[in-house]
């Protein structure tokens, strides 16, 4: 094995490398930054600040080239390593998380663009590097948030066992060895010419193919003598050729509204049908699902998000259990397509759990609780819950801003046909507050709070509460010199830092109720130059009791 893990700063390559040692114990592993420190005898941050990035990159490449002379290795490289320096005979895995584009903040990493804020720097580095990772990558591993120990699904993905799982199509983009190991492949005429498609099919006759006609330039239909091929004609090209309907075929539509698409597909009642509209409401999602269920063996419904983060990846993950045509995310980077991890985690049972809220892409509950992340706004909660129940939802974690509308709870379970709930937040708060030295517990300020203020007041009645938007105290007596600042606000342009309003404050510790890598609580602690405690342990503690609640009631 010759393998390199590459990806954005803070994505988790070093921790993945440690798990990789468990998955493949015979393969020598190297964290490139640590190897540089051993060789040079100085910290990476010191090399950056004292010698500059150019000198660091020279050391980085020299040591990398020494390591790759070995017959077997796995190397985790830093976010700034140039991907083109990885030779073609080495497998390059692009380790990615859904939060990459949000940017990340660090307590102890070297800065590169001192003229930018730390978050803006992180986002700029993401934008500068992302396409380079994609160009060199042999495979993209979409890693969920929060894996910290041996994970069977991750092992299957990294060992290649996932490639033969289920009738899930991967859209071929690079025609490389990794893509061609999959059993079900989509070949599109807007990516490959008809001659290239024929060559691939002849080279790999054992595979099952979906040949999708998508290009006006390369629009002439062709047929290959194999019963393992489905031909997909997109109606955006016009009506299919007359003889097209005599073959194993599928008619799809993408650019029309959902209801116009349904009408046009009525003209082809004897074929497989694929409806792929852009939708923007739960009502349209209901309608598409009902349409698919009218003829579940011949119809497939693949909703797409209008813009921004995916709203329907969770649905397309579940759809693999009840429809014929489904896709896994590859190099096309279609946000609504699920990753291999998401598909493998939810392939067994019809019933499922979810974490509900908005935003939700950062949630560690996906890996920690083995649930789907379902974006859900407060206004849609009462409409969506019955539909989700019909699909098989039987337990859920509820995040802000849904806790209040769910009944001031963070956990729901379907018990004898009715939803019941509880809150396990207080277990998490207690875990967090146990980290506060007793001598500091009388001088606590809470910045923000939102839907958890009532729970916080029960745990720390002595605290003073302040609006994160205005800075005003929420109770009559305003304690002005806190030693502990509890950060309880989301990242939002309306949120103010306490330094802007109370410059005399100088807390010793910032306790963050968030655990995201771009939390404003990290920035607040760095401004104060004080200790910082993430909300991760708080989350893990409440999640433990959440699992117990589900287990006791399911």
């Amino acid at each position: 094995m010759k393998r390199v893990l590459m990806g954005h700063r803070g994505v988790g390559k070093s921790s993945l490398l440690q798990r990789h040692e468990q998955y493949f114990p015979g393969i020598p592993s190297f964290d490139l930054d640590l190897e540089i420190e051993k060789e040079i005898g100085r910290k990476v941050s010191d090399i950056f600040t004292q010698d500059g990035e150019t000198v660091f990159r020279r050391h980085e490449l020299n040591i990398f080239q020494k390591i790759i002379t070995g017959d077997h290795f796995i190397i985790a490289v830093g976010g700034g390593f140039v991907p083109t320096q990885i030779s073609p005979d080495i497998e390059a895995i692009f380790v990615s998380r859904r939060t990459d584009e949000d940017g990340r903040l660090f307590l102890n990493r070297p800065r590169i663009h001192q003229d930018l804020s730390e978050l803006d720097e992180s986002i700029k580095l993401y934008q500068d590097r992302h396409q380079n990772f994609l160009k060199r990558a042999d495979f993209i591993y979409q890693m969920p948030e929060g894996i910290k120990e041996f994970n069977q699904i991750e092992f299957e993905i990294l060992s290649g066992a996932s490639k033969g799982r289920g009738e899930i199509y991967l859209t071929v983009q690079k025609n490389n060895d990794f893509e061609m190991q999959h059993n079900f492949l989509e070949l599109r005429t807007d990516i490959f010419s008809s001659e290239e498609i024929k060559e691939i099919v002849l080279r790999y006759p054992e595979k099952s193919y979906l040949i999708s006609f998508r290009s006006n330039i390369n629009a002439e239909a062709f047929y290959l003598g194999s019963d393992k091929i489905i031909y997909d004609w997109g109606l955006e090209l016009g009506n299919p050729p007359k003889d097209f309907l005599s073959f194993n075929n599928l008619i799809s539509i993408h650019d029309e509204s959902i209801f116009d698409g349904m009408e046009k597909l009525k003209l082809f009642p004897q074929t497989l049908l694929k409806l792929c509209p852009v939708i923007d409401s739960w009502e349209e999602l209901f309608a598409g699902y009902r349409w698919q269920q009218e003829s579940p063996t011949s119809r497939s419904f693949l909703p797409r998000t209008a813009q921004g983060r995916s709203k329907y990846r969770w649905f397309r993950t579940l759809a693999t259990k009840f429809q014929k045509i489904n896709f896994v995310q590859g190099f096309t980077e279609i946000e609504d397509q699920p990753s291999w991890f998401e598909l493998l985690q939810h392939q067994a049972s019809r019933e499922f759990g979810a974490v509900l809220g908005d935003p939700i892409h950062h949630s560690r509950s996906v890996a920690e609780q083995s649930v789907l992340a379902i974006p859900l706004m407060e206004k849609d909660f009462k409409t969506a819950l019955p539909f989700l129940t019909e699909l098989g939802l039987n337990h859920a974690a509820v995040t802000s801003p849904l806790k209040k509308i769910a009944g001031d709870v963070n956990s729901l379970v379907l018990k004898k046909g009715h939803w019941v709930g509880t809150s396990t937040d207080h277990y998490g708060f207690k875990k967090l507050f146990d980290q506060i030295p007793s001598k500091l517990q009388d001088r606590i300020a809470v910045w923000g709070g939102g839907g958890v203020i009532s729970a916080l007041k029960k745990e720390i009645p002595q605290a003073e509460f302040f609006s994160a938007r205005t800075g005003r105290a929420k109770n009559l007596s305003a304690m002005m010199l806190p030693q502990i600042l509890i950060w309880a606000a989301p990242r939002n342009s309306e949120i103010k830092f306490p330094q802007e309003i109370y410059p005399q404050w100088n807390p010793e510790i910032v306790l963050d109720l968030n655990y995201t890598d771009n939390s404003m609580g990290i920035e607040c602690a760095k401004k104060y130059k004080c200790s910082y405690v993430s909300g991760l342990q708080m989350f893990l503690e409440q999640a433990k009791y959440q699992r117990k609640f589900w287990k006791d009631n399911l």
Side-chain angles (χ1 to χ4, degrees):
M1 177 185 288
K2 296 182 177 181
R3 175 176 283 180
V4 169
L5 306 178
M6 61 182 186
H8 295 288
R9 294 180 97 192
V11 72
K13 300 181 294 291
S14 294
S15 58
L16 175 57
L17 181 69
Q18 294 173 9
R19 299 194 299 278
H20 198 282
E21 292 175 356
Q22 295 178 273
Y23 303 146
F24 307 98
I27 306 298
S29 61
F30 304 90
D31 186 314
L32 190 55
D33 281 353
L34 295 182
E35 296 302 315
I36 293 168
E37 292 183 346
K38 290 179 190 176
E39 180 88 8
I40 307 303
R42 296 156 63 196
K43 293 285 188 183
V44 165
S45 56
D46 292 338
I47 301 173
F48 256 93
T49 54
Q50 296 168 16
D51 302 342
E53 184 181 4
T54 301
V55 171
F56 172 79
R57 296 300 174 202
R58 192 182 307 135
H59 291 313
E60 183 181 53
L61 180 57
N62 288 339
I63 294 168
F64 176 79
Q65 289 176 334
K66 288 181 183 178
I67 295 172
I68 64 174
T69 59
D71 293 332
H72 301 281
F73 53 80
I74 169 72
I75 309 171
V77 300
F81 188 85
V82 179
T84 53
Q85 295 172 158
I86 305 170
S87 58
D89 63 313
I90 297 172
E91 181 185 39
I93 297 181
F94 177 14
V95 183
S96 179
R97 280 163 46 199
R98 305 287 185 194
T99 53
D100 283 348
E101 65 186 88
D102 295 342
R104 297 187 175 102
L105 300 169
F106 305 98
L107 296 173
N108 56 2
R109 294 206 184 187
R111 295 290 308 278
I112 295 175
H113 299 291
Q114 297 286 347
D115 56 321
L116 298 175
S117 73
E118 190 174 353
L119 187 63
D120 287 342
E121 174 191 53
S122 180
I123 293 171
K124 174 175 171 49
L125 290 174
Y126 167 84
Q127 295 168 343
D128 291 346
R129 296 169 175 175
H130 192 70
Q131 289 302 316
N132 295 329
F133 289 139
L134 287 174
K135 287 177 184 176
R136 176 56 190 90
D138 296 299
F139 164 54
I140 304 172
Y141 171 37
Q142 283 286 359
M143 186 168 67
E145 304 289 318
I147 295 182
K148 293 298 180 187
E149 54 191 26
F150 185 100
N151 184 283
Q152 181 63 30
I153 295 175
E154 182 174 74
F155 169 61
E156 290 184 21
I157 292 170
L158 294 176
S159 64
S162 64
K163 300 170 188 131
R165 293 290 194 92
E167 297 185 12
I168 311 292
Y169 288 97
L170 173 75
T171 302
V172 178
Q173 184 86 15
K174 294 192 173 188
N175 191 13
N176 64 16
D177 289 342
F178 175 82
E179 289 181 329
M180 301 316 296
Q181 289 173 12
H182 287 74
N183 290 336
F184 287 78
L185 301 169
E186 182 193 32
L187 302 174
R188 288 172 36 169
T189 61
D190 57 343
I191 298 176
F192 298 103
S193 69
S194 56
E195 290 305 313
E196 288 171 326
I197 291 173
K198 292 174 185 177
E199 181 181 333
I200 291 171
V201 173
L202 288 173
R203 194 186 324 150
Y204 303 99
E206 74 281 4
K207 307 293 183 183
S208 295
Y209 295 97
L210 178 66
I211 296 179
S212 298
F213 295 94
R214 294 288 182 270
S215 171
N216 284 305
I217 298 172
N218 189 22
E220 184 176 347
F222 58 87
Y223 311 104
L224 304 173
S226 171
D227 59 2
K228 291 188 173 183
I229 300 176
I230 296 175
Y231 300 91
D232 173 8
W233 184 269
L235 289 180
E236 292 74 21
L237 301 178
N239 287 327
K242 291 182 179 179
D243 58 347
F244 183 84
L245 299 181
S246 63
F247 292 84
N248 188 20
N249 58 76
L250 183 153
I251 302 296
S252 62
I253 193 161
H254 308 77
D255 293 348
E256 299 285 347
S257 71
I258 182 170
F259 298 107
D260 289 345
M262 289 177 185
E263 284 299 313
K264 290 193 175 183
L265 291 177
K266 285 181 179 179
L267 299 174
F268 308 97
Q270 303 304 315
T271 67
L272 297 175
L273 302 176
K274 180 156 68 80
L275 179 64
C276 308
V278 170
I279 65 173
D280 198 32
S281 71
W282 282 86
E283 287 74 18
E284 290 174 310
L285 186 66
F286 304 158
Y289 174 70
R290 300 279 181 252
W291 173 86
Q292 188 277 330
Q293 287 290 290
E294 288 174 4
S295 185
T297 59
S298 63
R299 294 181 180 182
S300 298
F301 172 53
L302 299 169
R304 294 183 293 141
T305 303
Q307 59 183 0
R309 295 199 176 276
S310 171
K311 295 180 181 179
Y312 307 113
R313 188 185 305 117
W314 65 271
F315 179 85
R316 291 174 71 153
T317 301
L318 293 177
T320 60
K321 301 175 185 179
F322 55 74
Q323 66 184 23
K324 185 176 181 64
I325 305 296
N326 301 283
F327 294 87
V328 64
Q329 189 174 36
F331 284 101
T332 48
E333 280 207 305
I334 297 173
E335 264 285 295
D336 289 306
Q337 289 179 347
S339 68
W340 270 120
F341 195 101
E342 290 159 334
L343 289 171
L344 294 175
Q345 190 173 44
H346 298 284
Q347 64 178 350
S349 171
R350 178 187 176 275
E351 295 179 329
F352 66 95
V355 53
L356 310 175
D358 187 41
I360 206 68
H361 67 282
H362 64 276
S363 177
R364 288 178 179 247
S365 292
V366 171
E368 182 68 21
Q369 310 284 50
S370 297
V371 296
L372 287 168
I374 301 182
L376 182 58
M377 297 177 69
E378 196 171 3
K379 66 180 179 64
D380 296 317
F381 181 79
K382 291 183 178 179
T383 301
L385 192 59
F387 176 59
L388 293 173
T389 306
E390 179 183 346
L391 290 177
L393 179 71
N394 67 352
H395 61 287
V398 181
T399 69
S400 297
L402 300 179
K403 291 181 181 180
K404 189 172 184 61
I405 197 170
D408 289 323
V409 300
N410 76 337
S411 310
L412 293 172
V413 69
L414 189 64
K415 188 174 183 179
K416 296 181 179 179
H418 299 282
W419 286 100
V420 296
T422 191
S423 179
T424 62
D425 281 337
H426 60 285
Y427 294 108
F429 294 151
K430 186 178 186 306
K431 183 76 172 180
L432 187 67
F433 302 148
D434 283 347
Q435 301 174 72
I436 302 176
S438 57
K439 64 180 181 179
L440 304 180
Q441 292 185 3
D442 291 333
R443 297 170 62 183
I444 300 174
V446 177
W447 199 255
V452 297
I453 283 182
S454 58
L456 285 170
K457 285 182 176 179
K458 290 179 182 178
E459 293 297 322
I460 44 172
Q462 73 275 25
E464 302 284 351
F465 291 79
F466 295 81
S467 166
R469 287 177 168 80
T470 66
R472 288 196 296 269
K474 297 186 178 182
N475 42 1
L476 294 177
S477 60
M479 176 274 300
M480 297 302 290
L481 295 174
Q483 292 177 296
I484 299 292
L485 177 67
I486 295 176
W487 187 271
R491 175 163 288 281
N492 186 305
S493 59
E494 297 179 0
I495 301 298
K496 292 181 169 59
F497 287 105
Q499 290 93 336
E500 301 170 24
I501 302 168
Y502 301 109
Q504 70 274 33
W505 286 10
N506 189 28
E508 296 183 29
I509 302 173
V510 170
L511 290 181
D512 198 344
L513 299 193
N514 303 291
Y515 56 73
T516 55
D517 295 329
N518 69 344
S519 171
M520 292 179 75
I522 302 173
E523 288 182 274
C524 184
K526 295 187 76 169
K527 288 176 184 287
Y528 281 126
K529 298 181 180 179
C530 70
S531 298
Y532 172 79
V533 178
S534 164
L536 180 57
Q537 291 304 313
M538 179 189 75
F539 163 76
L540 293 174
E541 187 73 4
Q542 67 82 26
K544 179 173 68 176
Y545 285 94
Q546 201 168 49
R547 287 192 295 274
K548 184 179 186 304
F549 170 70
W550 292 335
K551 182 180 179 180
D552 290 346
N553 288 279
L554 282 175

